[in-house]
Amino acid sequence: MTATDVSKQMLAIAAAAAEATGAEDLVALDVSEPLPLVDIFLLATGRSERNVAAIADEIEEKLLEAGHKRLRREGRQESRWILLDFGDLVVHVFHEQERAFYGLERLWKDCPVVPIDRPARAVSD
């Protein structure tokens, strides 16, 4: 099983929102094989609690605007690791220290990386 087109569209929305608010080290993993209820994990890093919260808030807002339903949100109060569950897409926004400590990339190392589609930018003359 592989990530669906819908989950990849959700990923593109979430990644754009994350990058717009200063997220770093975005990695998307196709976890559909070991986790049949989820297609993609998006991992992102913020440099401070305020940045982590802003990234998560922007991702949530953009996905809700696009008509996707949030099933669960955890960690907003501490803003060290915020989890946003949108069903097919689960977003993990980490403070850089938590990202290094928990190492989700290592835990899910057997899962393929999903390319993050980015909108083409207009070239200035």
Side-chain angles (χ1 to χ4, degrees), residues 21-25 44-53 55 79-80 93-97:
T21 49
E24 299 176 350
D25 301 325
T45 302
R47 292 201 169 271
S48 67
E49 288 88 352
R50 184 177 292 200
N51 187 221
V52 168
I55 293 164
S79 296
R80 301 287 296 180
V93 184
F94 292 96
H95 188 283
E96 55 193 342
Q97 293 167 342

Side-chain angles (χ1 to χ4, degrees), residues 1-13:
M1 185 175 259
T2 62
T4 65
D5 288 339
V6 171
S7 60
K8 290 176 183 176
Q9 291 168 356
M10 293 171 71
L11 170 62
I13 294 166

Side-chain angles (χ1 to χ4, degrees), residues 34-91:
L35 297 174
L37 298 176
V38 178
D39 281 352
I40 298 173
F41 278 178
L42 174 61
L43 312 177
T45 302
R47 292 201 169 271
S48 67
E49 288 88 352
R50 184 177 292 200
N51 187 221
V52 168
I55 293 164
D57 290 348
E58 184 70 8
I59 291 169
E60 184 174 8
E61 181 181 321
K62 295 303 182 189
L63 285 169
L64 290 172
E65 284 176 5
H68 301 287
K69 182 180 177 186
R70 187 192 79 226
L71 304 176
R72 183 175 58 162
R73 176 180 57 201
E74 295 181 12
R76 178 64 173 86
Q77 188 170 352
E78 298 84 14
S79 296
R80 301 287 296 180
W81 176 0
I82 298 177
L83 180 140
L84 300 171
D85 182 352
F86 279 86
D88 290 338
L89 175 69
V90 174
V91 180

